[in-house]
Amino acid sequence: MLRVVVCVSGGGTNLQAIIDGVAQGAICNTDLVRVISNNPGAYALKRAKAAGIEGVCVSPKEFEDRQQFEEALIRCVEEAEPDLVVLAGFLVKIPVQLIRRYQNRIINIHPSLIPAFCGTGYYGLKVHEAALKRGVKITGATVHFVDEGMDTGPIIKQKAVKVYADDTPEILQKRVMEEAEWVLLPWCINLIAAGQVKVENGRVTITE
Ligand code: GRF
């Protein structure tokens, strides 16, 4: 069984897609052992509870400084002994010790086709605003391993989504979630749980 910790900050629709994927058998051989939120009010924590998954909040507000917060976050991940950490809308910069310790074992979902509209400052609606401003006709989502850069780690899978002339950032965000993110993230976790994802020289290959 692949032990998975999911880190969240907000609504948790990607978390829900993972929970449903496990329940419905689209994600095999996977145990969702803990959900960690930096935000006590995150609806994602309610989703975890409803699914019978332990939810833990580690808020930076509870700590004197960044270092203490990061240490608590690392402890919270390590206690759960995960094989894989999934960042599903987690708006916290991941401590570098955690990235090194869990090399190629932390994945993130980003709502664009990396390397477009990614990196510092590209989160939430800003990604879709930038895509519309540039006039791209196709956008999408990317699941990648987390390295020490911002959205720079090895890409596991991407899924494209059409952009229409009358899209607003909100409409596009919803389409990217429904057509790409909620499909892609469960798909990647299942592939990792099946041992089909290999990283070599910074590139991912998916084996049969
Ligand atoms: C998603 O768009 C994800 O790609 C981004 O943050 C959003 C999280 O949404 N990183 P939710 O909390 O899963 O609903």
Side-chain angles (χ1 to χ4, degrees), residues 2-35:
L2 187 83
R3 292 175 62 83
V4 174
V5 163
V6 185
C7 298
V8 295
S9 295
T13 60
N14 279 286
L15 169 67
Q16 192 65 53
I18 299 167
I19 291 169
D20 295 346
V22 171
Q24 291 159 12
I27 306 175
C28 301
N29 199 30
T30 293
D31 193 7
L32 301 175
V33 292
R34 178 175 280 190
V35 170

Side-chain angles (χ1 to χ4, degrees), residues 10-15 88-89 109-111 177 181:
T13 60
N14 279 286
L15 169 67
I109 178 126
H110 183 78
M177 284 181 144
E181 296 184 46

Side-chain angles (χ1 to χ4, degrees), residues 59-91:
S59 165
K61 292 185 185 135
E62 290 163 21
F63 300 91
E64 268 174 30
D65 56 28
R66 186 77 192 174
Q67 195 187 334
Q68 287 187 23
F69 164 64
E70 289 193 348
E71 283 166 6
L73 181 63
I74 292 168
R75 273 200 305 278
C76 191
V77 170
E78 286 186 338
E79 263 171 26
E81 300 183 347
D83 301 305
L84 180 72
V85 178
V86 177
L87 310 181
F90 191 51
L91 300 175

Side-chain angles (χ1 to χ4, degrees), residues 125-144:
L125 271 182
K126 291 181 195 291
V127 177
H128 306 291
E129 280 164 10
L132 290 177
K133 194 168 170 209
R134 184 63 185 85
V136 294
K137 307 303 178 216
I138 290 172
T139 185
T142 302
V143 176
H144 63 93

